Amino acid sequence: MNISDWRVDYDKYKLDASSLNHDPILQFKDWFAQAKVDGHDEPNAMVLATCGNDMIPDCRMVLLKEIDDNQFVFYTNYNSHKGKAIAENPNASLLFYWEKSQRQVRISGVLKKGDADKAKAYFASRPLNSQISAIASPQSEEIELETLFKNVENILDSNQIECPPHWGSYYLKPFKFEFWQGQPGRLHDRITYQNEQENWIIKRIAP
């Protein structure tokens, strides 16, 4: 398979440091809103990268559910592979890629667990099938398909559907952002925000 000549021209928007918001959270919200306008079905889809004690980086897609107190919130099973890695090393990175906008945002920060009562309230608001799967699945553990279906059947029979204690939110408090805007000739715009003593330092870096 030869994909060496597969290229896309980037020419949709420009990124000028003089027009940026001095608050990266507000800048992110501006780009997120534009991603919705540009027709992305799931603009809240993001890559979560973690690295536990084994020092092997790992990444997966998760969904941003909220920006609360300037922190990025997602929900998951605390006993999952990602949950175990976060327990060992709370440093993590997020990546948003909006193809139709020719933009990406990289965010580095530190994760902590969110409030359990808030997680229960959000859990109750999810579609029933999503609630059941969160209870039935020992996420990241080896399992036979028949066993998984049996777990679902047992939950339906018991009619006991409530938020498991091992399921909840993580809050990522960012200390670095990079906003990337594709440009012609691969001279892409890249602007970073680095938190230094509670101040955001803005820099342009080379493509």
Side-chain angles (χ1 to χ4, degrees):
M1 181 175 63
N2 184 4
I3 58 174
S4 60
D5 292 329
W6 195 343
R7 294 183 176 88
V8 174
D9 290 328
Y10 299 98
D11 57 3
K12 189 158 189 175
Y13 302 118
K14 291 189 67 65
L15 180 56
D16 186 347
S18 64
S19 65
L20 287 172
N21 198 301
H22 289 288
D23 184 337
I25 298 291
L26 296 179
Q27 182 63 39
F28 175 86
K29 290 180 177 179
D30 287 345
W31 273 27
F32 188 88
Q34 186 62 52
K36 290 192 290 184
V37 172
D38 288 340
H40 292 87
D41 293 330
E42 284 189 310
N44 61 327
M46 60 186 185
V47 177
L48 167 68
T50 58
C51 187
N53 288 340
D54 60 7
M55 299 303 293
I56 301 175
D58 202 2
C59 57
R60 74 290 286 167
M61 300 298 297
V62 298
L63 296 177
L64 176 70
K65 287 301 179 180
E66 187 179 4
I67 298 177
D68 182 25
D69 192 27
N70 291 334
Q71 298 178 76
F72 292 77
V73 183
F74 65 94
Y75 290 82
T76 192
N77 185 320
Y78 293 143
N79 295 332
S80 65
H81 181 82
K82 73 175 84 65
K84 292 174 182 177
I86 292 167
E88 294 169 355
N89 174 13
N91 295 295
S93 294
L94 307 176
L95 170 66
F96 293 85
Y97 178 59
W98 298 309
E99 180 183 7
K100 295 178 181 178
S101 308
Q102 299 179 349
R103 288 172 168 171
Q104 71 174 12
V105 183
R106 298 164 62 194
I107 306 169
S108 298
V110 180
L111 288 164
K112 67 176 183 180
K113 290 181 179 179
D115 179 74
D117 288 337
K118 187 172 182 179
K120 291 177 182 177
Y122 172 70
F123 186 88
S125 74
R126 303 176 81 207
L128 181 60
N129 286 344
S130 296
Q131 294 182 42
I132 293 172
S133 66
I135 301 169
S137 172
Q139 193 175 109
S140 302
E141 299 295 328
E142 183 176 3
I143 191 171
E144 296 291 336
L145 190 58
E146 293 80 2
T147 301
L148 183 61
F149 289 154
K150 185 62 177 179
N151 289 349
V152 171
E153 183 180 329
N154 290 339
I155 292 166
L156 291 171
D157 288 343
S158 69
N159 201 29
Q160 296 295 314
I161 301 175
E162 54 187 40
C163 183
H166 55 265
W167 191 94
S169 64
Y170 283 106
Y171 281 60
L172 182 129
K173 183 176 182 179
F175 56 76
K176 185 178 181 180
F177 289 76
E178 182 191 311
F179 292 85
W180 178 98
Q181 177 68 65
Q183 290 298 301
R186 297 301 190 263
L187 295 175
H188 307 307
D189 292 326
R190 297 175 66 191
I191 302 291
T192 64
Y193 291 71
Q194 182 75 47
N195 192 295
E196 297 182 8
Q197 298 180 343
E198 301 305 317
N199 293 313
W200 290 104
I201 307 302
I202 303 175
K203 297 179 181 179
R204 175 178 287 274
I205 61 175

PDB file of all heavy atoms in Angstrom, residues 28 38 62 67 74-75 89 97 104 112 147 167 207:
ATOM      1  N   PHE A  28     -10.509  28.233  23.022  1.00  0.00           N
ATOM      2  CA  PHE A  28     -10.977  26.880  22.719  1.00  0.00           C
ATOM      3  C   PHE A  28     -12.484  26.887  22.445  1.00  0.00           C
ATOM      4  O   PHE A  28     -12.954  26.255  21.488  1.00  0.00           O
ATOM      5  CB  PHE A  28     -10.664  25.927  23.859  1.00  0.00           C
ATOM      6  CG  PHE A  28     -11.221  24.540  23.651  1.00  0.00           C
ATOM      7  CD1 PHE A  28     -10.515  23.596  22.928  1.00  0.00           C
ATOM      8  CD2 PHE A  28     -12.477  24.195  24.140  1.00  0.00           C
ATOM      9  CE1 PHE A  28     -11.036  22.330  22.695  1.00  0.00           C
ATOM     10  CE2 PHE A  28     -13.003  22.933  23.916  1.00  0.00           C
ATOM     11  CZ  PHE A  28     -12.278  21.994  23.190  1.00  0.00           C
ATOM     12  N   ASP A  38     -18.996  24.236  11.239  1.00  0.00           N
ATOM     13  CA  ASP A  38     -18.378  23.606  10.072  1.00  0.00           C
ATOM     14  C   ASP A  38     -18.886  22.191   9.826  1.00  0.00           C
ATOM     15  O   ASP A  38     -18.476  21.546   8.854  1.00  0.00           O
ATOM     16  CB  ASP A  38     -16.851  23.585  10.234  1.00  0.00           C
ATOM     17  CG  ASP A  38     -16.239  24.970  10.079  1.00  0.00           C
ATOM     18  OD1 ASP A  38     -16.897  25.846   9.502  1.00  0.00           O
ATOM     19  OD2 ASP A  38     -15.092  25.172  10.536  1.00  0.00           O
ATOM     20  N   VAL A  62     -12.232   9.545  23.619  1.00  0.00           N
ATOM     21  CA  VAL A  62     -13.279   9.732  24.623  1.00  0.00           C
ATOM     22  C   VAL A  62     -14.053  10.992  24.249  1.00  0.00           C
ATOM     23  O   VAL A  62     -13.690  11.706  23.317  1.00  0.00           O
ATOM     24  CB  VAL A  62     -12.694   9.846  26.057  1.00  0.00           C
ATOM     25  CG1 VAL A  62     -11.966   8.570  26.453  1.00  0.00           C
ATOM     26  CG2 VAL A  62     -11.766  11.048  26.177  1.00  0.00           C
ATOM     27  N   ILE A  67     -16.989  21.678  30.213  1.00  0.00           N
ATOM     28  CA  ILE A  67     -15.857  22.481  30.682  1.00  0.00           C
ATOM     29  C   ILE A  67     -16.346  23.166  31.943  1.00  0.00           C
ATOM     30  O   ILE A  67     -17.236  24.023  31.905  1.00  0.00           O
ATOM     31  CB  ILE A  67     -15.399  23.505  29.642  1.00  0.00           C
ATOM     32  CG1 ILE A  67     -14.911  22.798  28.368  1.00  0.00           C
ATOM     33  CG2 ILE A  67     -14.274  24.372  30.214  1.00  0.00           C
ATOM     34  CD1 ILE A  67     -14.504  23.742  27.262  1.00  0.00           C
ATOM     35  N   PHE A  74     -14.490  14.464  31.401  1.00  0.00           N
ATOM     36  CA  PHE A  74     -14.997  13.292  30.707  1.00  0.00           C
ATOM     37  C   PHE A  74     -15.313  12.220  31.753  1.00  0.00           C
ATOM     38  O   PHE A  74     -14.876  12.298  32.907  1.00  0.00           O
ATOM     39  CB  PHE A  74     -13.997  12.765  29.667  1.00  0.00           C
ATOM     40  CG  PHE A  74     -12.708  12.247  30.242  1.00  0.00           C
ATOM     41  CD1 PHE A  74     -12.541  10.899  30.541  1.00  0.00           C
ATOM     42  CD2 PHE A  74     -11.642  13.109  30.483  1.00  0.00           C
ATOM     43  CE1 PHE A  74     -11.351  10.422  31.071  1.00  0.00           C
ATOM     44  CE2 PHE A  74     -10.447  12.636  31.011  1.00  0.00           C
ATOM     45  CZ  PHE A  74     -10.298  11.293  31.307  1.00  0.00           C
ATOM     46  N   TYR A  75     -16.086  11.207  31.340  1.00  0.00           N
ATOM     47  CA  TYR A  75     -16.529  10.142  32.247  1.00  0.00           C
ATOM     48  C   TYR A  75     -16.006   8.795  31.765  1.00  0.00           C
ATOM     49  O   TYR A  75     -15.887   8.552  30.562  1.00  0.00           O
ATOM     50  CB  TYR A  75     -18.055  10.098  32.325  1.00  0.00           C
ATOM     51  CG  TYR A  75     -18.659  11.284  33.047  1.00  0.00           C
ATOM     52  CD1 TYR A  75     -18.866  12.490  32.376  1.00  0.00           C
ATOM     53  CD2 TYR A  75     -19.012  11.202  34.387  1.00  0.00           C
ATOM     54  CE1 TYR A  75     -19.407  13.583  33.035  1.00  0.00           C
ATOM     55  CE2 TYR A  75     -19.559  12.291  35.052  1.00  0.00           C
ATOM     56  CZ  TYR A  75     -19.747  13.473  34.373  1.00  0.00           C
ATOM     57  OH  TYR A  75     -20.283  14.566  35.029  1.00  0.00           O
ATOM     58  N   ASN A  89      -0.168   7.849  37.228  1.00  0.00           N
ATOM     59  CA  ASN A  89       0.425   9.090  36.720  1.00  0.00           C
ATOM     60  C   ASN A  89      -0.698   9.990  36.225  1.00  0.00           C
ATOM     61  O   ASN A  89      -1.262   9.739  35.157  1.00  0.00           O
ATOM     62  CB  ASN A  89       1.396   8.772  35.585  1.00  0.00           C
ATOM     63  CG  ASN A  89       1.949  10.019  34.916  1.00  0.00           C
ATOM     64  OD1 ASN A  89       1.822  11.131  35.426  1.00  0.00           O
ATOM     65  ND2 ASN A  89       2.562   9.837  33.752  1.00  0.00           N
ATOM     66  N   TYR A  97      -9.189  17.088  17.011  1.00  0.00           N
ATOM     67  CA  TYR A  97      -8.880  17.281  15.596  1.00  0.00           C
ATOM     68  C   TYR A  97     -10.181  17.509  14.851  1.00  0.00           C
ATOM     69  O   TYR A  97     -11.063  16.647  14.846  1.00  0.00           O
ATOM     70  CB  TYR A  97      -8.149  16.068  15.018  1.00  0.00           C
ATOM     71  CG  TYR A  97      -7.868  16.216  13.541  1.00  0.00           C
ATOM     72  CD1 TYR A  97      -7.093  17.278  13.061  1.00  0.00           C
ATOM     73  CD2 TYR A  97      -8.390  15.315  12.614  1.00  0.00           C
ATOM     74  CE1 TYR A  97      -6.844  17.431  11.708  1.00  0.00           C
ATOM     75  CE2 TYR A  97      -8.136  15.452  11.249  1.00  0.00           C
ATOM     76  CZ  TYR A  97      -7.368  16.515  10.809  1.00  0.00           C
ATOM     77  OH  TYR A  97      -7.121  16.676   9.466  1.00  0.00           O
ATOM     78  N   GLN A 104      -6.503  21.678  14.868  1.00  0.00           N
ATOM     79  CA  GLN A 104      -6.377  20.774  16.006  1.00  0.00           C
ATOM     80  C   GLN A 104      -5.955  21.575  17.233  1.00  0.00           C
ATOM     81  O   GLN A 104      -5.340  22.635  17.115  1.00  0.00           O
ATOM     82  CB  GLN A 104      -5.388  19.644  15.732  1.00  0.00           C
ATOM     83  CG  GLN A 104      -3.938  20.041  15.686  1.00  0.00           C
ATOM     84  CD  GLN A 104      -3.020  18.830  15.542  1.00  0.00           C
ATOM     85  OE1 GLN A 104      -3.454  17.723  15.265  1.00  0.00           O
ATOM     86  NE2 GLN A 104      -1.738  19.042  15.726  1.00  0.00           N
ATOM     87  N   LYS A 112      -7.781  14.719  37.826  1.00  0.00           N
ATOM     88  CA  LYS A 112      -8.256  14.306  39.151  1.00  0.00           C
ATOM     89  C   LYS A 112      -9.697  13.844  39.010  1.00  0.00           C
ATOM     90  O   LYS A 112     -10.411  14.247  38.082  1.00  0.00           O
ATOM     91  CB  LYS A 112      -8.157  15.453  40.160  1.00  0.00           C
ATOM     92  CG  LYS A 112      -9.099  16.608  39.871  1.00  0.00           C
ATOM     93  CD  LYS A 112      -9.024  17.667  40.959  1.00  0.00           C
ATOM     94  CE  LYS A 112     -10.034  18.797  40.673  1.00  0.00           C
ATOM     95  NZ  LYS A 112      -9.991  19.850  41.717  1.00  0.00           N
ATOM     96  N   THR A 147     -20.545 -13.987  28.154  1.00  0.00           N
ATOM     97  CA  THR A 147     -20.553 -13.502  29.532  1.00  0.00           C
ATOM     98  C   THR A 147     -21.048 -12.064  29.592  1.00  0.00           C
ATOM     99  O   THR A 147     -21.818 -11.689  30.487  1.00  0.00           O
ATOM    100  CB  THR A 147     -19.136 -13.585  30.132  1.00  0.00           C
ATOM    101  OG1 THR A 147     -18.694 -14.936  30.077  1.00  0.00           O
ATOM    102  CG2 THR A 147     -19.129 -13.099  31.575  1.00  0.00           C
ATOM    103  N   TRP A 167     -17.403   4.152  38.590  1.00  0.00           N
ATOM    104  CA  TRP A 167     -17.666   4.926  37.371  1.00  0.00           C
ATOM    105  C   TRP A 167     -17.843   6.386  37.745  1.00  0.00           C
ATOM    106  O   TRP A 167     -18.547   6.710  38.705  1.00  0.00           O
ATOM    107  CB  TRP A 167     -18.928   4.405  36.682  1.00  0.00           C
ATOM    108  CG  TRP A 167     -19.166   4.935  35.290  1.00  0.00           C
ATOM    109  CD1 TRP A 167     -18.797   4.368  34.112  1.00  0.00           C
ATOM    110  CD2 TRP A 167     -19.857   6.146  34.937  1.00  0.00           C
ATOM    111  NE1 TRP A 167     -19.194   5.142  33.053  1.00  0.00           N
ATOM    112  CE2 TRP A 167     -19.847   6.249  33.535  1.00  0.00           C
ATOM    113  CE3 TRP A 167     -20.456   7.169  35.683  1.00  0.00           C
ATOM    114  CZ2 TRP A 167     -20.428   7.307  32.844  1.00  0.00           C
ATOM    115  CZ3 TRP A 167     -21.028   8.236  35.004  1.00  0.00           C
ATOM    116  CH2 TRP A 167     -21.017   8.307  33.600  1.00  0.00           C
ATOM    117  N   PRO A 207       6.238  25.645  12.350  1.00  0.00           N
ATOM    118  CA  PRO A 207       5.396  24.518  11.917  1.00  0.00           C
ATOM    119  C   PRO A 207       6.188  23.222  11.876  1.00  0.00           C
ATOM    120  O   PRO A 207       7.401  23.214  11.896  1.00  0.00           O
ATOM    121  CB  PRO A 207       4.940  24.942  10.521  1.00  0.00           C
ATOM    122  CG  PRO A 207       5.958  25.916  10.060  1.00  0.00           C
ATOM    123  CD  PRO A 207       6.437  26.626  11.290  1.00  0.00           C
TER     124      PRO A 207
END
